Amino acid sequence: MESTRDIYSISRLNSELRHVLEGSFPLLWVQGEISNLSTPRSGHLYFSLKDSHAQIRCALFRNKRNLLRFSPANGEEVLVRARVALYEPRGNCQLIIEHMEPAGVGSLRQAFEQLKARLQAEGLFDSERKKPLPAYPKRIGIISSPSGAAVRDILQVLQRRFPLAEVVIYPAQVQGTGAATELRQALELALQRQETDLLIIGRGGGSEEDLAVFNDEQLARAIAASDIPTISAVGHETDFTIADFVADRRAPTPSAAAELATPDGRALAERFRQLEQRLKQAFERHLRDARRHLQHLQHRLTRTSPASRLLQQQQRLDELQLRLARSMRQRLHRNELELAHWRKRLLLLHPERQLKTLSSGVQQLQQRLQSGMARCLQQKRQRLLTTARELQAVSPLATLDRGYSIVFRADDGALVRDSSQVASGDELAIRLAGGEIHAIVKGGS
């Protein structure tokens, strides 16, 4: 009996071929000449790469095409990094381009990859050896061409974000013969002077040949050995050099390096304003609490101080004296009014006999008035003397006059009522009737 045959459809076959192709090849570097270049409205590029013996179809999609530094053309020799794929609708094998560059820089790319691999193996790219950047740099060094756009961009950003930081420029060529040596010497000068706490090394954009100076091995090792934190700022965001990997931080552009190097001055000012407000509020709360505590202590002192109590008794005595004087004046005024009334009535009784009789009565009244005023004055004086004696009897100073004393703690002014309140060595203030003495406790029971 014939076994069942496994029949593939074309789509199934192409799908499995695609999986086999894409799973069997890593990313490849391929060099060839562009031909049959097609640029549809979608923005993708379709072309063939050929050499003297064969060709293969290629596709460069728009997102990767936007990263190119040149415009591909038919007949141009290029170096591409691509993955193998199958275009299923036609069953064609093709390359999906991830990166493309003119073939002339292929040797530079190869040297770059080899140096990168060697330095990475030595641990020069490890994050553990990267030094942290200072949060608030006082002086920033820039290693670059003083006439280049990179320096101007860095200075503009520093002035905007953190004008407090000083800037030292270590001039050096950034491309061409001898540029790597000048960059390394500028770095060595900065390390020798030790006048900055952060270094930015880099330049503006350019071709891969222009940026190749930052792939110099000796320069890379000098950057890695720097004891001052470094920021590499070479070219644009898509550019990578060996200096980027060995530096403590990599910035995509020189302007971005200035932002990495400094805090945002406006944000700091706002933060300081908030902290100032919080400090002010905290100080005001503390001041209010301290004022309330002081008022409480003053109130307690007022209630417990013998001098304060004496002043209160003296004030009470003054008030009684004032009330007595006021009462006497009122009584005298009433008597004067009564006398004036009687005088008026006497004037109304015109005959001499009545006048004489009344005159005698007036004299009696005057005598009675004087006698009454004298008695009243004597009574008030007697009450005043009695009150003064009572006050003197309860006065703390009178107690002191009888030989007693008041003992306070010298350090906090607390009244000592019991020997358990003091210890040996404590300093005391003793208030006597005739002054105050200080003593030190030597023992107690």
Side-chain angles (χ1 to χ4, degrees):
M1 182 177 179
E2 184 179 1
S3 61
T4 303
R5 290 176 293 182
D6 190 5
I7 302 175
Y8 282 78
S9 65
I10 300 301
S11 59
R12 179 186 173 191
L13 179 60
N14 280 348
S15 178
E16 292 196 10
L17 284 173
R18 179 173 61 83
H19 286 301
V20 170
L21 286 173
E22 294 179 0
S24 301
F25 293 94
L27 284 173
L28 304 173
W29 286 99
V30 181
Q31 183 172 334
E33 178 185 328
I34 296 176
S35 65
N36 303 317
L37 179 63
S38 175
T39 56
R41 296 177 62 182
S42 63
H44 308 315
L45 291 183
Y46 302 101
F47 56 92
S48 296
L49 275 184
K50 67 177 183 177
D51 57 17
S52 58
H53 302 289
Q55 64 178 358
I56 188 171
R57 292 296 298 172
C58 301
L60 178 63
F61 296 117
R62 182 174 56 192
N63 61 333
K64 300 297 182 181
R65 179 187 179 185
N66 292 336
L67 301 178
L68 295 182
R69 297 180 177 277
F70 69 104
S71 298
N74 282 319
E76 187 171 6
E77 190 80 9
V78 294
L79 179 68
V80 301
R81 194 177 189 195
R83 55 186 174 85
V84 178
L86 182 73
Y87 183 54
E88 293 185 29
R90 293 185 181 177
N92 292 338
C93 180
Q94 65 177 1
L95 297 179
I96 304 300
I97 308 300
E98 298 291 333
H99 172 77
M100 183 165 63
E101 61 189 39
V105 298
S107 58
L108 291 176
R109 172 62 58 181
Q110 183 179 8
F112 171 84
E113 293 294 342
Q114 291 175 351
L115 177 59
K116 177 182 174 184
R118 187 167 68 255
L119 297 182
Q120 186 173 16
E122 294 181 21
L124 268 62
F125 301 170
D126 294 348
S127 58
E128 293 78 8
R129 56 160 297 277
K130 305 287 187 179
K131 294 177 289 297
L133 304 183
Y136 305 100
K138 297 179 180 179
R139 185 174 293 171
I140 299 173
I142 302 175
I143 301 175
S144 186
S145 171
S147 61
V151 171
R152 292 195 298 272
D153 293 343
I154 292 173
L155 293 178
Q156 288 176 358
V157 175
L158 293 180
Q159 180 62 31
R160 171 175 56 83
R161 284 177 59 87
F162 199 60
L164 295 178
E166 299 179 6
V167 177
V168 179
I169 297 177
Y170 301 97
Q173 294 185 51
V174 292
Q175 69 181 64
T177 304
T181 301
E182 289 195 20
L183 287 168
R184 190 174 65 254
Q185 290 174 347
L187 175 59
E188 292 172 353
L189 178 62
L191 297 178
Q192 179 183 358
R193 290 183 176 179
Q194 290 291 316
E195 57 190 348
T196 63
D197 45 10
L198 179 64
L199 291 173
I200 299 175
I201 180 169
R203 56 156 291 161
S207 66
E208 191 161 355
E209 293 90 340
D210 294 336
L211 306 182
V213 64
F214 291 93
N215 294 326
D216 180 77
E217 181 176 356
Q218 292 183 347
L219 176 62
R221 293 186 182 278
I223 294 174
S226 170
D227 59 352
I228 299 176
T230 56
I231 298 177
S232 174
V234 182
H236 299 300
E237 187 170 358
T238 57
D239 296 321
F240 282 89
T241 65
I242 298 298
D244 295 328
F245 296 110
V246 296
D248 296 305
R249 291 290 294 274
R250 182 247 176 189
T253 63
S255 297
E259 294 187 359
L260 277 175
T262 56
D264 188 344
R266 286 174 294 187
L268 279 178
E270 176 61 21
R271 177 63 175 162
F272 288 152
R273 188 195 67 78
Q274 294 175 356
L275 291 176
E276 181 184 17
Q277 184 66 22
R278 289 174 56 187
L279 181 61
K280 181 179 179 181
Q281 292 173 354
F283 179 75
E284 290 176 349
R285 282 197 306 272
H286 179 74
L287 189 60
R288 286 196 301 269
D289 294 343
R291 187 180 291 113
R292 284 196 294 267
H293 185 61
L294 178 60
Q295 290 173 349
H296 174 68
L297 292 178
Q298 288 176 337
H299 181 63
R300 288 183 56 189
L301 181 62
T302 299
R303 289 187 301 172
T304 58
S305 171
S308 175
R309 294 179 61 185
L310 180 60
L311 289 175
Q312 291 179 0
Q313 298 294 346
Q314 289 177 347
Q315 182 177 357
R316 177 63 178 164
L317 180 60
D318 291 340
E319 290 178 353
L320 292 174
Q321 288 177 340
L322 291 173
R323 288 174 59 187
L324 176 61
R326 185 166 56 252
S327 177
M328 292 178 62
R329 286 195 300 270
Q330 292 174 353
R331 183 65 180 270
L332 182 61
H333 180 64
R334 287 196 298 269
N335 289 341
E336 289 176 349
L337 291 177
E338 186 178 356
L339 180 60
H341 170 72
W342 287 111
R343 283 178 179 175
K344 184 177 181 180
R345 292 188 62 184
L346 285 175
L347 290 175
L348 294 176
L349 300 174
H350 188 268
E352 285 185 2
R353 187 170 56 80
Q354 294 181 358
L355 183 60
K356 290 180 180 180
T357 302
L358 290 174
S359 176
S360 177
V362 169
Q363 290 178 356
Q364 292 177 359
L365 288 173
Q366 287 179 337
Q367 291 175 358
R368 290 174 57 191
L369 176 62
Q370 291 175 355
S371 176
M373 290 178 61
R375 285 197 304 273
C376 180
L377 184 61
Q378 181 62 28
Q379 291 174 357
K380 298 294 184 181
R381 184 177 292 108
Q382 187 63 34
R383 288 178 59 188
L384 178 61
L385 292 175
T386 300
T387 302
R389 285 195 295 273
E390 291 175 353
L391 290 175
Q392 181 65 24
V394 299
S395 171
L397 297 182
T399 303
L400 298 181
D401 286 336
R402 293 198 297 272
Y404 292 92
S405 61
I406 303 174
V407 181
F408 301 90
R409 293 175 63 90
D411 55 352
D412 56 7
L415 183 64
V416 179
R417 293 186 175 88
D418 191 274
S419 61
S420 63
Q421 294 181 251
V422 298
S424 179
D426 288 351
E427 185 177 352
L428 304 178
I430 304 174
R431 178 71 182 274
L432 305 175
E436 183 175 289
I437 61 177
H438 292 267
I440 297 177
V441 177
K442 290 186 176 181
S445 61

